[in-house]
Amino acid sequence: MLKGNKRVIFILGVMMLVILALSRCMTEADKIPPDARGENYAGAASCVKCHADVSKSFVHNAHGLSSGSVDNKKLAKLVTADDNTFAFNERLKIKVERRDSGFYQVGYIDGKQVRVERFDIAFGSGEKAFTYAYWKGNKLFQLPLSHFSEINTWANSPGFPANAMYFDRPITKRCLQCHSSFIKTEAKETTSLAIEEDLQKGTLISGIDCERCHGPAKEHVVFHLENPEEKKPKFIAIYKTLSRKQKMDACGVCHSGNTLTSIQDVFNFKPGDNLDNFYAQDFVSFSGDNPDVHGNQTAMLKGSICYQKSEMTCQSCHNTHENVKGNMLVYAQKCMSCHQTQKHSAKTLAKGTLKANCINCHMPMQASKLISFQTAGNKNINPYLLRSHHIGIYPDQ
Ligand code: HEC
Ligand code: HEC
Ligand code: HEC
Ligand code: HEC
Ligand code: HEC
Ligand code: HEC
Ligand code: HEC
C-alpha cells in the first residue's frame, strides 16, 4: 500500500501517462483550431511557432492592422476631454461619448439625443485615418465620424453629406475584401426582388493575415510540424518563382483601386492566380488614363517609365513584413540600386541634398480626387494626400 504523498504522486503520474497517450493519438492536423475559410487554412496563430519574427512585426504593420474589433484603450486615446463634438451647424451635432458598454457616436438635434450607435469595428491602421462601423443584425454600417491623423481630430467621414447626420452607409463585403482576410456572406432576396447580402458576423477574420497573402497553408503547417528536420518550404507558394505578372497580381488584388467589379469571390484569390479572372473594369466609375492615387498604386506604377523599362514589381521597394513608414532614405536606396547616377540640371542640383529627397521630387504627395473630408463648422474641404506611384519628373517639386 502506498501512503500519503507517495500515493498522490502515483495517481498524478498515471494521469499524466494517460494524457500523454491520448495526445499522441491526436495528429498534428487535429490540434489546429478550425478556420472560417475552410479545411485548408491553419490561421495566423499557427505560424508563430516557426515564423516568430515575421509574426511579431506583422501585428504592428498596416496590413495586420487594416481592420479589427474596436480596442477601447486605443480609442480612449483619440477621445480628448473637450474636442469630441462635430457640429454640422448650431442645431445638429454628433458627439463621441464613452458609456458603460463602450464608445458611441451620438446624434443630437437641439441638444436632444436622436440616434446612438456603438463603435464595433475599426478600419485603417491610423496612418492616415480610422473609420468605424457598427453591427446591426447581420449588416455593418459606417459611423458618421472618422478620426483623421493629420489634423488629430474627428471629422465627417469621407463622402458623407455635409449638412445632415447620416448613419446608414453600409459597409459591404467589398470593403472587407481589401481590409480583412475573410467574411462569409449569404445572399437573400428581398421583397422588391433585389438581392441583399447578409454578413455572417462570427466568420469575420479581421486584419490581412498570413494566408490572405500566402494562400491556404494547413498542409504546409502539418508537414513541417511532422517533419521538423525538413528546412525547405513545402506545400506553400514560393514568391521567388512567380512570374512578374503573378507578383503584381498578388498585390493588385487589393491595390488596383475601387473602380473594379469582382466577377469571382476575391477572398479565393491565391498567389499564382490570374487577377483577370477575378475583376472586370466597371466602366461607370472608370477614370481611364488618369487613375486616382487612392488605393490604386498598380495602375499608377504601370504608367511609369521605370516600370516599363525594367522588371520592377512592388517588392522592388516594399517589404510588406516590415514597417519602414516615413524613412525616405531607405526608399532612396531602392532608386539608386537602378539609378547609380542621375543627370540633374544645375537648377535641380542647387536645391540641395538630392539623396534625401528622391521621393519627394519624383513621387510627390497628391490629393485623392475621390476622397476628401470636412472638419467641424468649416465649409472648407481638406484634401486626402497620398504618395503618387507614377514615378516621373514633376517640374513643380
Ligand atoms: C512547424 C514549422 C512551420 C510552421 C508552423 C509554419 N511554417 Fe512556414 N516554413 C517552415 C519552414 C521550415 C520553411 C522553410 C524555411 C524558411 O523559409 O523559414 C517555411 C517557409 C515558409 C514560407 C516561405 C516560402 C518561400 O517563399 O520560400 C512561407 C510563405 C511560409 N512558410 C508561410 C507559413 C504560414 C503562412 C504559416 C502559418 C499558416 C506557416 N508558414 C507555418 C516551417 C513552418
Ligand atoms: C488583402 C488585401 C491586400 C493585399 C493582398 C495587399 N495589400 Fe497592401 N494594403 C492593403 C490595405 C487595406 C492597406 C491599408 C492598410 C491601412 O493603413 O489600414 C494596405 C497598405 C499597404 C502599404 C502601406 C502601408 C505600409 O506598410 O507602408 C503598402 C506599402 C502595401 N500595402 C504594399 C503591398 C504589397 C507590396 C502587396 C503585395 C505583396 C500588398 N500590399 C498586398 C491591402 C492589401
Ligand atoms: C501583404 C501580404 C503579406 C502578408 C500579410 C504576409 N506576407 Fe509573408 N511574404 C509576402 C511576400 C510578398 C513575400 C516575398 C518577399 C520577397 O520575395 O521579396 C513574403 C515572404 C515570406 C516568407 C519568406 C521569408 C521572408 O521573410 O521573406 C515567409 C516565411 C513569410 N512570408 C511568412 C509570413 C507569415 C508567417 C505571415 C503572417 C504573420 C506573413 N508572411 C504575412 C507577403 C505577405
Ligand atoms: C480595392 C481595395 C479597397 C477597398 C474596396 C477599400 N479600401 Fe480602404 N484602403 C485600401 C488601400 C490600398 C488603402 C491604403 C492607402 C491608399 O492607397 O489609399 C486604404 C486605406 C483606407 C483607410 C485609411 C487607412 C490609414 O490609416 O491609412 C481607411 C480608413 C479605409 N481604407 C477604409 C475603407 C472602407 C470603410 C472601405 C469600404 C467603404 C474601404 N476602405 C474600401 C484599399 C481598399
Ligand atoms: C520605386 C519604389 C516603389 C515601388 C516600386 C512601389 N512603391 Fe509603394 N511606396 C513607395 C514610397 C517611397 C512610398 C511612401 C512611403 C512612406 O510614406 O513612408 C510608398 C507608399 C505606398 C503605400 C502607402 C500609401 C501612401 O500614399 O502613403 C502603398 C499602399 C503602396 N506604396 C503600395 C504599393 C504597391 C501595391 C506597389 C506595387 C503596385 C508599390 N507600392 C510599388 C515606393 C514604391
Ligand atoms: C528596378 C529598377 C528601377 C528602380 C528601382 C527605379 N527606377 Fe527609375 N527608371 C528605371 C529605368 C530602366 C528607367 C528608364 C531609363 C532610360 O530609359 O534611360 C527609369 C527612368 C526614371 C526616370 C525618368 C522618367 C521620365 O519620365 O523621363 C526617373 C525620374 C526615375 N526613373 C526616377 C526614379 C526614382 C526617383 C526611383 C525611386 C523611387 C526609381 N526611379 C526607381 C529603373 C528603375
Ligand atoms: C529637387 C528635386 C529632385 C530631387 C531631390 C531628385 N530629382 Fe531626379 N530629377 C529632378 C528633375 C527636375 C529632373 C529633370 C532634369 C532636371 O531638370 O534636373 C530629374 C531627373 C531625374 C532622372 C532622369 C534623368 C536621368 O538621369 O536619366 C532620374 C533617373 C532621376 N532624376 C533620379 C533621381 C534620384 C534617384 C534621386 C535621389 C537620389 C533624385 N532624382 C533626386 C528633380 C529631382
Side-chain angles (χ1 to χ4, degrees):
M1 265 289 274
L2 292 166
K3 280 214 182 113
N5 281 348
K6 275 195 185 149
R7 187 159 162 183
V8 172
I9 289 168
F10 176 76
I11 292 171
L12 279 178
V14 171
M15 276 166 70
M16 273 162 73
L17 281 173
V18 170
I19 290 169
L20 203 67
L22 280 176
S23 68
R24 280 286 157 88
C25 302
M26 260 173 98
T27 62
E28 294 298 349
D30 296 333
K31 288 185 220 154
I32 297 168
D35 187 286
R37 289 168 287 195
E39 293 213 313
N40 301 332
Y41 287 84
S46 54
C47 315
V48 181
K49 188 171 177 201
C50 305
H51 301 294
D53 288 354
V54 179
S55 300
K56 211 160 103 198
S57 69
F58 171 75
V59 291
H60 303 292
N61 79 18
H63 287 116
L65 298 170
S66 57
S67 62
S69 301
V70 161
D71 174 346
N72 282 342
K73 264 201 237 132
K74 232 162 102 179
L75 193 53
K77 287 194 197 133
L78 303 181
V79 181
T80 51
D82 47 333
D83 193 23
N84 303 313
T85 306
F86 180 86
F88 292 93
N89 53 47
E90 284 290 293
R91 304 182 52 201
L92 211 60
K93 293 186 172 81
I94 299 181
K95 239 172 131 177
V96 176
E97 292 178 12
R98 181 166 209 163
R99 296 187 174 179
D100 284 347
S101 49
F103 283 92
Y104 290 82
Q105 292 196 8
V106 189
Y108 292 95
I109 299 178
D110 293 331
K112 233 178 89 194
Q113 175 181 319
V114 292
R115 187 80 190 252
V116 52
E117 297 295 350
R118 197 167 78 147
F119 286 81
D120 288 329
I121 306 276
F123 285 91
S125 61
E127 168 66 29
K128 297 189 176 61
F130 291 109
T131 198
Y132 301 90
Y134 67 92
W135 284 108
K136 190 172 163 191
N138 278 331
K139 296 215 171 4
L140 262 181
F141 294 91
Q142 190 169 1
L143 286 167
L145 302 188
S146 294
H147 191 275
F148 293 87
S149 310
E150 195 193 318
I151 50 174
N152 190 23
T153 187
W154 298 92
N156 209 4
S157 292
F160 274 54
N163 43 25
M165 195 179 283
Y166 191 57
F167 278 87
D168 305 312
R169 184 185 188 210
I171 294 265
T172 59
K173 182 178 180 179
R174 186 70 191 111
C175 298
L176 295 163
Q177 281 173 334
C178 291
H179 279 273
S180 80
S181 298
F182 186 70
I183 189 145
K184 198 166 177 176
T185 49
E186 202 180 348
K188 269 196 186 156
E189 212 170 292
T190 62
T191 40
S192 55
L193 291 178
I195 300 289
E196 239 184 38
E197 231 175 17
D198 264 0
L199 303 171
Q200 297 189 1
K201 201 169 163 177
T203 63
L204 175 66
I205 299 176
S206 50
I208 294 163
D209 77 351
C210 316
E211 287 166 291
R212 185 72 217 276
C213 286
H214 288 291
K218 179 131 164 209
E219 214 181 342
H220 168 76
V221 170
V222 171
F223 175 86
H224 285 286
L225 284 171
E226 288 173 353
N227 301 277
E229 68 293 344
E230 178 61 66
K231 297 294 173 226
K232 282 213 191 81
K234 290 275 155 69
F235 305 112
I236 190 97
I238 311 286
Y239 262 91
K240 274 199 293 286
T241 62
L242 299 181
S243 70
R244 188 188 189 197
K245 176 172 177 2
Q246 288 171 323
K247 286 182 187 161
M248 290 300 291
D249 281 0
C251 309
V253 63
C254 303
H255 288 281
S256 299
N258 280 315
T259 66
L260 301 168
T261 45
S262 49
I263 47 181
Q264 218 196 105
D265 191 346
V266 179
F267 281 129
N268 291 335
F269 180 91
K270 306 182 295 306
D273 286 351
N274 184 349
L275 199 56
D276 306 344
N277 298 333
F278 287 81
Y279 284 128
Q281 187 61 56
D282 170 6
F283 285 98
V284 180
S285 48
F286 186 45
S287 47
D289 296 334
N290 194 6
D292 189 62
V293 279
H294 170 67
N296 200 353
Q297 290 79 19
T298 308
M300 300 287 289
L301 193 68
K302 285 183 174 169
S304 317
I305 292 178
C306 300
Y307 181 86
Q308 291 160 5
K309 297 215 170 160
S310 75
E311 285 299 304
M312 174 184 273
T313 63
C314 306
Q315 282 104 283
S316 306
C317 296
H318 293 295
N319 176 340
T320 48
H321 294 156
E322 278 166 23
N323 193 345
V324 289
K325 267 282 164 204
N327 191 338
M328 292 306 146
L329 278 171
V330 170
Y331 288 106
Q333 294 295 338
K334 311 275 185 188
C335 308
M336 290 187 289
S337 67
C338 290
H339 297 288
Q340 283 89 0
T341 58
Q342 312 96 35
K343 298 185 213 82
H344 285 111
S345 63
K347 192 170 148 232
T348 306
L349 290 168
K351 293 192 176 162
T353 39
L354 293 196
K355 213 160 128 180
N357 294 311
C358 310
I359 305 297
N360 286 339
C361 286
H362 291 291
M363 297 181 73
M365 297 297 265
Q366 288 187 331
S368 167
K369 292 190 285 282
L370 302 176
I371 303 178
S372 57
F373 56 96
Q374 172 205 16
T375 42
N378 189 343
K379 288 285 162 266
N380 292 337
I381 299 296
N382 296 35
Y384 187 76
L385 295 173
L386 288 162
R387 197 53 76 181
S388 169
H389 276 65
H390 185 106
I391 310 170
I393 293 165
Y394 295 79
D396 302 344
Q397 294 299 318

